[in-house]
PDB file of all heavy atoms in Angstrom:
ATOM      1  N   MET A  15      13.315   2.825   9.357  1.00 75.00           N
ATOM      2  CA  MET A  15      13.694   2.750   7.929  1.00 75.00           C
ATOM      3  C   MET A  15      12.456   2.539   7.066  1.00 75.00           C
ATOM      4  O   MET A  15      11.546   1.875   7.471  1.00 75.00           O
ATOM      5  CB  MET A  15      14.701   1.637   7.781  1.00 75.00           C
ATOM      6  CG  MET A  15      15.391   1.643   6.398  1.00 75.00           C
ATOM      7  SD  MET A  15      16.199   0.062   6.041  1.00 75.00           S
ATOM      8  CE  MET A  15      14.837  -1.030   5.718  1.00 75.00           C
ATOM      9  N   SER A  16      12.451   3.116   5.946  1.00 91.00           N
ATOM     10  CA  SER A  16      11.368   2.870   4.998  1.00 91.00           C
ATOM     11  C   SER A  16      11.871   2.471   3.640  1.00 91.00           C
ATOM     12  O   SER A  16      12.997   2.680   3.326  1.00 91.00           O
ATOM     13  CB  SER A  16      10.625   4.222   4.871  1.00 91.00           C
ATOM     14  OG  SER A  16      11.487   5.202   4.345  1.00 91.00           O
ATOM     15  N   ASN A  17      11.005   1.747   2.948  1.00 95.00           N
ATOM     16  CA  ASN A  17      11.336   1.321   1.621  1.00 95.00           C
ATOM     17  C   ASN A  17      10.832   2.311   0.598  1.00 95.00           C
ATOM     18  O   ASN A  17       9.581   2.476   0.481  1.00 95.00           O
ATOM     19  CB  ASN A  17      10.690  -0.077   1.330  1.00 95.00           C
ATOM     20  CG  ASN A  17      11.325  -1.120   2.200  1.00 95.00           C
ATOM     21  OD1 ASN A  17      12.526  -1.318   2.148  1.00 95.00           O
ATOM     22  ND2 ASN A  17      10.534  -1.765   3.009  1.00 95.00           N
ATOM     23  N   VAL A  18      11.705   2.961  -0.126  1.00 97.00           N
ATOM     24  CA  VAL A  18      11.342   4.023  -1.096  1.00 97.00           C
ATOM     25  C   VAL A  18      11.538   3.517  -2.476  1.00 97.00           C
ATOM     26  O   VAL A  18      12.631   2.914  -2.786  1.00 97.00           O
ATOM     27  CB  VAL A  18      12.162   5.289  -0.795  1.00 97.00           C
ATOM     28  CG1 VAL A  18      11.845   6.327  -1.889  1.00 97.00           C
ATOM     29  CG2 VAL A  18      11.884   5.841   0.588  1.00 97.00           C
ATOM     30  N   HIS A  40      17.186   5.074   4.356  1.00 96.00           N
ATOM     31  CA  HIS A  40      16.098   4.416   3.608  1.00 96.00           C
ATOM     32  C   HIS A  40      16.579   3.305   2.748  1.00 96.00           C
ATOM     33  O   HIS A  40      17.767   3.321   2.346  1.00 96.00           O
ATOM     34  CB  HIS A  40      15.450   5.468   2.690  1.00 96.00           C
ATOM     35  CG  HIS A  40      14.813   6.652   3.396  1.00 96.00           C
ATOM     36  ND1 HIS A  40      13.715   6.620   4.095  1.00 96.00           N
ATOM     37  CD2 HIS A  40      15.337   7.897   3.463  1.00 96.00           C
ATOM     38  CE1 HIS A  40      13.471   7.780   4.626  1.00 96.00           C
ATOM     39  NE2 HIS A  40      14.456   8.565   4.255  1.00 96.00           N
ATOM     40  N   PRO A  60       6.448  -0.753  -1.875  1.00 95.00           N
ATOM     41  CA  PRO A  60       7.242   0.148  -1.108  1.00 95.00           C
ATOM     42  C   PRO A  60       6.366   0.942  -0.175  1.00 95.00           C
ATOM     43  O   PRO A  60       5.131   1.026  -0.275  1.00 95.00           O
ATOM     44  CB  PRO A  60       7.825   1.117  -2.214  1.00 95.00           C
ATOM     45  CG  PRO A  60       6.833   1.031  -3.353  1.00 95.00           C
ATOM     46  CD  PRO A  60       6.322  -0.420  -3.310  1.00 95.00           C
ATOM     47  N   ASP A  61       7.018   1.565   0.887  1.00 94.00           N
ATOM     48  CA  ASP A  61       6.278   2.408   1.780  1.00 94.00           C
ATOM     49  C   ASP A  61       5.913   3.783   1.110  1.00 94.00           C
ATOM     50  O   ASP A  61       4.970   4.391   1.577  1.00 94.00           O
ATOM     51  CB  ASP A  61       7.188   2.649   2.998  1.00 94.00           C
ATOM     52  CG  ASP A  61       7.536   1.379   3.732  1.00 94.00           C
ATOM     53  OD1 ASP A  61       6.566   0.593   3.971  1.00 94.00           O
ATOM     54  OD2 ASP A  61       8.722   1.207   4.055  1.00 94.00           O
ATOM     55  N   LEU A  62       6.710   4.117   0.122  1.00 97.00           N
ATOM     56  CA  LEU A  62       6.511   5.426  -0.454  1.00 97.00           C
ATOM     57  C   LEU A  62       7.126   5.448  -1.884  1.00 97.00           C
ATOM     58  O   LEU A  62       8.160   4.730  -2.077  1.00 97.00           O
ATOM     59  CB  LEU A  62       7.138   6.537   0.381  1.00 97.00           C
ATOM     60  CG  LEU A  62       6.933   7.962  -0.029  1.00 97.00           C
ATOM     61  CD1 LEU A  62       6.697   8.874   1.205  1.00 97.00           C
ATOM     62  CD2 LEU A  62       8.142   8.518  -0.812  1.00 97.00           C
ATOM     63  N   VAL A  63       6.508   6.168  -2.795  1.00 97.00           N
ATOM     64  CA  VAL A  63       7.071   6.353  -4.139  1.00 97.00           C
ATOM     65  C   VAL A  63       7.429   7.783  -4.361  1.00 97.00           C
ATOM     66  O   VAL A  63       6.682   8.649  -4.098  1.00 97.00           O
ATOM     67  CB  VAL A  63       5.988   5.857  -5.167  1.00 97.00           C
ATOM     68  CG1 VAL A  63       6.478   6.121  -6.600  1.00 97.00           C
ATOM     69  CG2 VAL A  63       5.693   4.317  -5.076  1.00 97.00           C
ATOM     70  N   VAL A  87      -0.294   3.549  -1.855  1.00 91.00           N
ATOM     71  CA  VAL A  87       1.079   3.988  -1.429  1.00 91.00           C
ATOM     72  C   VAL A  87       1.216   5.433  -1.546  1.00 91.00           C
ATOM     73  O   VAL A  87       0.742   6.073  -2.534  1.00 91.00           O
ATOM     74  CB  VAL A  87       2.110   3.177  -2.335  1.00 91.00           C
ATOM     75  CG1 VAL A  87       2.060   3.639  -3.813  1.00 91.00           C
ATOM     76  CG2 VAL A  87       3.487   3.438  -1.754  1.00 91.00           C
ATOM     77  N   PRO A  88       1.830   6.080  -0.527  1.00 94.00           N
ATOM     78  CA  PRO A  88       2.054   7.498  -0.582  1.00 94.00           C
ATOM     79  C   PRO A  88       2.938   7.821  -1.738  1.00 94.00           C
ATOM     80  O   PRO A  88       3.982   7.108  -1.964  1.00 94.00           O
ATOM     81  CB  PRO A  88       2.669   7.839   0.764  1.00 94.00           C
ATOM     82  CG  PRO A  88       2.409   6.713   1.633  1.00 94.00           C
ATOM     83  CD  PRO A  88       2.234   5.514   0.751  1.00 94.00           C
ATOM     84  N   VAL A  89       2.652   8.903  -2.455  1.00 95.00           N
ATOM     85  CA  VAL A  89       3.482   9.302  -3.610  1.00 95.00           C
ATOM     86  C   VAL A  89       3.945  10.774  -3.416  1.00 95.00           C
ATOM     87  O   VAL A  89       3.097  11.635  -3.211  1.00 95.00           O
ATOM     88  CB  VAL A  89       2.682   9.171  -4.907  1.00 95.00           C
ATOM     89  CG1 VAL A  89       3.488   9.681  -6.122  1.00 95.00           C
ATOM     90  CG2 VAL A  89       2.294   7.739  -5.155  1.00 95.00           C
ATOM     91  N   ILE A  90       5.214  11.003  -3.550  1.00 96.00           N
ATOM     92  CA  ILE A  90       5.764  12.368  -3.676  1.00 96.00           C
ATOM     93  C   ILE A  90       6.164  12.551  -5.096  1.00 96.00           C
ATOM     94  O   ILE A  90       6.949  11.774  -5.684  1.00 96.00           O
ATOM     95  CB  ILE A  90       6.980  12.562  -2.680  1.00 96.00           C
ATOM     96  CG1 ILE A  90       6.522  12.440  -1.227  1.00 96.00           C
ATOM     97  CG2 ILE A  90       7.559  13.919  -2.950  1.00 96.00           C
ATOM     98  CD1 ILE A  90       7.641  12.518  -0.211  1.00 96.00           C
ATOM     99  N   ASP A 110       0.610  12.840  -2.621  1.00 89.00           N
ATOM    100  CA  ASP A 110       0.499  13.191  -1.228  1.00 89.00           C
ATOM    101  C   ASP A 110       1.386  14.462  -0.941  1.00 89.00           C
ATOM    102  O   ASP A 110       1.148  15.170   0.000  1.00 89.00           O
ATOM    103  CB  ASP A 110       1.052  12.023  -0.349  1.00 89.00           C
ATOM    104  CG  ASP A 110       0.164  10.897  -0.499  1.00 89.00           C
ATOM    105  OD1 ASP A 110      -0.731  10.814   0.365  1.00 89.00           O
ATOM    106  OD2 ASP A 110       0.333  10.021  -1.410  1.00 89.00           O
ATOM    107  N   ASP A 111       2.334  14.685  -1.782  1.00 90.00           N
ATOM    108  CA  ASP A 111       3.191  15.920  -1.661  1.00 90.00           C
ATOM    109  C   ASP A 111       4.008  16.042  -2.886  1.00 90.00           C
ATOM    110  O   ASP A 111       3.963  15.165  -3.793  1.00 90.00           O
ATOM    111  CB  ASP A 111       4.163  15.777  -0.397  1.00 90.00           C
ATOM    112  CG  ASP A 111       4.644  17.125   0.076  1.00 90.00           C
ATOM    113  OD1 ASP A 111       4.334  18.152  -0.579  1.00 90.00           O
ATOM    114  OD2 ASP A 111       5.322  17.176   1.103  1.00 90.00           O
ATOM    115  N   LEU A 122      14.316  16.066   0.166  1.00 96.00           N
ATOM    116  CA  LEU A 122      13.373  14.949  -0.168  1.00 96.00           C
ATOM    117  C   LEU A 122      13.193  14.048   1.042  1.00 96.00           C
ATOM    118  O   LEU A 122      12.097  13.589   1.386  1.00 96.00           O
ATOM    119  CB  LEU A 122      13.989  14.155  -1.306  1.00 96.00           C
ATOM    120  CG  LEU A 122      13.180  12.922  -1.773  1.00 96.00           C
ATOM    121  CD1 LEU A 122      11.741  13.364  -2.199  1.00 96.00           C
ATOM    122  CD2 LEU A 122      13.880  12.234  -2.923  1.00 96.00           C
ATOM    123  N   ASP A 123      14.268  13.793   1.810  1.00 95.00           N
ATOM    124  CA  ASP A 123      14.191  12.977   3.000  1.00 95.00           C
ATOM    125  C   ASP A 123      13.220  13.594   4.048  1.00 95.00           C
ATOM    126  O   ASP A 123      12.398  12.892   4.621  1.00 95.00           O
ATOM    127  CB  ASP A 123      15.605  12.798   3.633  1.00 95.00           C
ATOM    128  CG  ASP A 123      15.558  12.178   5.005  1.00 95.00           C
ATOM    129  OD1 ASP A 123      14.982  11.075   5.084  1.00 95.00           O
ATOM    130  OD2 ASP A 123      16.124  12.764   5.912  1.00 95.00           O
ATOM    131  N   ALA A 124      13.254  14.884   4.142  1.00 93.00           N
ATOM    132  CA  ALA A 124      12.355  15.529   5.146  1.00 93.00           C
ATOM    133  C   ALA A 124      10.918  15.411   4.642  1.00 93.00           C
ATOM    134  O   ALA A 124      10.041  15.154   5.482  1.00 93.00           O
ATOM    135  CB  ALA A 124      12.701  17.048   5.204  1.00 93.00           C
ATOM    136  N   ARG A 125      10.673  15.595   3.362  1.00 94.00           N
ATOM    137  CA  ARG A 125       9.324  15.424   2.828  1.00 94.00           C
ATOM    138  C   ARG A 125       8.864  13.944   3.024  1.00 94.00           C
ATOM    139  O   ARG A 125       7.717  13.698   3.400  1.00 94.00           O
ATOM    140  CB  ARG A 125       9.292  15.715   1.340  1.00 94.00           C
ATOM    141  CG  ARG A 125       9.571  17.112   0.977  1.00 94.00           C
ATOM    142  CD  ARG A 125       8.437  18.052   1.488  1.00 94.00           C
ATOM    143  NE  ARG A 125       8.639  19.436   1.145  1.00 94.00           N
ATOM    144  CZ  ARG A 125       8.179  20.016   0.094  1.00 94.00           C
ATOM    145  NH1 ARG A 125       7.424  19.447  -0.714  1.00 94.00           N
ATOM    146  NH2 ARG A 125       8.464  21.349  -0.134  1.00 94.00           N
ATOM    147  N   ILE A 126       9.718  12.996   2.750  1.00 95.00           N
ATOM    148  CA  ILE A 126       9.412  11.595   2.948  1.00 95.00           C
ATOM    149  C   ILE A 126       8.986  11.346   4.331  1.00 95.00           C
ATOM    150  O   ILE A 126       7.892  10.694   4.620  1.00 95.00           O
ATOM    151  CB  ILE A 126      10.575  10.680   2.463  1.00 95.00           C
ATOM    152  CG1 ILE A 126      10.763  10.730   1.019  1.00 95.00           C
ATOM    153  CG2 ILE A 126      10.381   9.207   2.969  1.00 95.00           C
ATOM    154  CD1 ILE A 126      12.060  10.026   0.529  1.00 95.00           C
ATOM    155  N   ARG A 127       9.773  11.822   5.324  1.00 91.00           N
ATOM    156  CA  ARG A 127       9.493  11.518   6.723  1.00 91.00           C
ATOM    157  C   ARG A 127       8.139  12.160   7.123  1.00 91.00           C
ATOM    158  O   ARG A 127       7.344  11.598   7.862  1.00 91.00           O
ATOM    159  CB  ARG A 127      10.638  11.938   7.562  1.00 91.00           C
ATOM    160  CG  ARG A 127      11.807  10.928   7.498  1.00 91.00           C
ATOM    161  CD  ARG A 127      12.923  11.213   8.398  1.00 91.00           C
ATOM    162  NE  ARG A 127      13.683  12.377   8.056  1.00 91.00           N
ATOM    163  CZ  ARG A 127      13.767  13.517   8.704  1.00 91.00           C
ATOM    164  NH1 ARG A 127      13.114  13.691   9.806  1.00 91.00           N
ATOM    165  NH2 ARG A 127      14.523  14.549   8.269  1.00 91.00           N
ATOM    166  N   ALA A 128       7.918  13.373   6.568  1.00 88.00           N
ATOM    167  CA  ALA A 128       6.664  14.072   6.927  1.00 88.00           C
ATOM    168  C   ALA A 128       5.412  13.340   6.372  1.00 88.00           C
ATOM    169  O   ALA A 128       4.387  13.123   7.071  1.00 88.00           O
ATOM    170  CB  ALA A 128       6.662  15.496   6.377  1.00 88.00           C
ATOM    171  N   VAL A 129       5.493  12.875   5.121  1.00 90.00           N
ATOM    172  CA  VAL A 129       4.412  12.172   4.554  1.00 90.00           C
ATOM    173  C   VAL A 129       4.126  10.861   5.259  1.00 90.00           C
ATOM    174  O   VAL A 129       3.007  10.505   5.577  1.00 90.00           O
ATOM    175  CB  VAL A 129       4.621  11.908   3.040  1.00 90.00           C
ATOM    176  CG1 VAL A 129       3.686  10.869   2.482  1.00 90.00           C
ATOM    177  CG2 VAL A 129       4.602  13.236   2.202  1.00 90.00           C
ATOM    178  N   LEU A 130       5.221  10.123   5.581  1.00 90.00           N
ATOM    179  CA  LEU A 130       5.066   8.855   6.276  1.00 90.00           C
ATOM    180  C   LEU A 130       4.459   9.017   7.670  1.00 90.00           C
ATOM    181  O   LEU A 130       3.650   8.235   8.124  1.00 90.00           O
ATOM    182  CB  LEU A 130       6.360   8.085   6.368  1.00 90.00           C
ATOM    183  CG  LEU A 130       6.889   7.520   4.969  1.00 90.00           C
ATOM    184  CD1 LEU A 130       8.243   6.905   5.156  1.00 90.00           C
ATOM    185  CD2 LEU A 130       5.927   6.561   4.378  1.00 90.00           C
ATOM    186  N   ARG A 131       4.879  10.112   8.353  1.00 82.00           N
ATOM    187  CA  ARG A 131       4.222  10.377   9.639  1.00 82.00           C
ATOM    188  C   ARG A 131       2.789  10.666   9.543  1.00 82.00           C
ATOM    189  O   ARG A 131       1.945  10.116  10.279  1.00 82.00           O
ATOM    190  CB  ARG A 131       4.920  11.615  10.283  1.00 82.00           C
ATOM    191  CG  ARG A 131       6.135  11.329  11.148  1.00 82.00           C
ATOM    192  CD  ARG A 131       6.439  12.562  12.058  1.00 82.00           C
ATOM    193  NE  ARG A 131       6.618  13.803  11.323  1.00 82.00           N
ATOM    194  CZ  ARG A 131       7.737  14.182  10.803  1.00 82.00           C
ATOM    195  NH1 ARG A 131       8.802  13.362  10.819  1.00 82.00           N
ATOM    196  NH2 ARG A 131       7.757  15.349  10.151  1.00 82.00           N
ATOM    197  N   ARG A 132       2.409  11.437   8.480  1.00 80.00           N
ATOM    198  CA  ARG A 132       1.027  11.762   8.297  1.00 80.00           C
ATOM    199  C   ARG A 132       0.224  10.538   7.952  1.00 80.00           C
ATOM    200  O   ARG A 132      -0.865  10.293   8.494  1.00 80.00           O
ATOM    201  CB  ARG A 132       0.920  12.736   7.174  1.00 80.00           C
ATOM    202  CG  ARG A 132      -0.382  13.467   7.121  1.00 80.00           C
ATOM    203  CD  ARG A 132      -0.349  14.581   6.105  1.00 80.00           C
ATOM    204  NE  ARG A 132      -0.409  14.121   4.760  1.00 80.00           N
ATOM    205  CZ  ARG A 132       0.236  14.652   3.711  1.00 80.00           C
ATOM    206  NH1 ARG A 132       1.084  15.694   3.893  1.00 80.00           N
ATOM    207  NH2 ARG A 132       0.110  14.155   2.547  1.00 80.00           N
ATOM    208  N   VAL A 133       0.749   9.710   7.051  1.00 82.00           N
ATOM    209  CA  VAL A 133      -0.012   8.519   6.685  1.00 82.00           C
ATOM    210  C   VAL A 133      -0.158   7.513   7.848  1.00 82.00           C
ATOM    211  O   VAL A 133      -1.193   6.978   8.030  1.00 82.00           O
ATOM    212  CB  VAL A 133       0.741   7.802   5.492  1.00 82.00           C
ATOM    213  CG1 VAL A 133       0.191   6.392   5.240  1.00 82.00           C
ATOM    214  CG2 VAL A 133       0.657   8.658   4.275  1.00 82.00           C
ATOM    215  N   ALA A 134       0.917   7.390   8.642  1.00 76.00           N
ATOM    216  CA  ALA A 134       0.864   6.553   9.827  1.00 76.00           C
ATOM    217  C   ALA A 134      -0.293   7.040  10.756  1.00 76.00           C
ATOM    218  O   ALA A 134      -1.005   6.241  11.319  1.00 76.00           O
ATOM    219  CB  ALA A 134       2.145   6.517  10.556  1.00 76.00           C
ATOM    220  N   GLY A 135      -0.388   8.342  10.918  1.00 67.00           N
ATOM    221  CA  GLY A 135      -1.462   8.915  11.701  1.00 67.00           C
ATOM    222  C   GLY A 135      -2.831   8.547  11.172  1.00 67.00           C
ATOM    223  O   GLY A 135      -3.765   8.142  11.880  1.00 67.00           O
ATOM    224  N   GLU A 136      -2.930   8.708   9.813  1.00 66.00           N
ATOM    225  CA  GLU A 136      -4.236   8.401   9.175  1.00 66.00           C
ATOM    226  C   GLU A 136      -4.659   6.937   9.319  1.00 66.00           C
ATOM    227  O   GLU A 136      -5.735   6.561   9.310  1.00 66.00           O
ATOM    228  CB  GLU A 136      -4.201   8.794   7.732  1.00 66.00           C
ATOM    229  CG  GLU A 136      -4.232  10.291   7.537  1.00 66.00           C
ATOM    230  CD  GLU A 136      -3.819  10.760   6.088  1.00 66.00           C
ATOM    231  OE1 GLU A 136      -3.556   9.838   5.242  1.00 66.00           O
ATOM    232  OE2 GLU A 136      -3.730  11.947   5.878  1.00 66.00           O
ATOM    233  N   ASN A 137      -3.570   6.066   9.311  1.00 63.00           N
ATOM    234  CA  ASN A 137      -3.858   4.637   9.319  1.00 63.00           C
ATOM    235  C   ASN A 137      -3.934   4.144  10.725  1.00 63.00           C
ATOM    236  O   ASN A 137      -3.845   2.904  10.909  1.00 63.00           O
ATOM    237  CB  ASN A 137      -2.674   3.880   8.544  1.00 63.00           C
ATOM    238  CG  ASN A 137      -2.824   4.159   7.103  1.00 63.00           C
ATOM    239  OD1 ASN A 137      -3.781   4.636   6.604  1.00 63.00           O
ATOM    240  ND2 ASN A 137      -1.763   3.785   6.401  1.00 63.00           N
TER     241      ASN A 137
END
Side-chain angles (χ1 to χ4, degrees):
M15 190 193 76
S16 58
N17 293 302
V18 175
H40 301 284
D61 299 313
L62 183 140
V63 172
V87 64
V89 176
I90 296 178
D110 293 270
D111 201 355
L122 181 58
D123 171 53
R125 294 293 179 95
I126 289 172
R127 285 185 287 112
V129 167
L130 289 177
R131 268 198 307 276
R132 196 172 76 217
V133 170
E136 287 165 2
N137 290 349

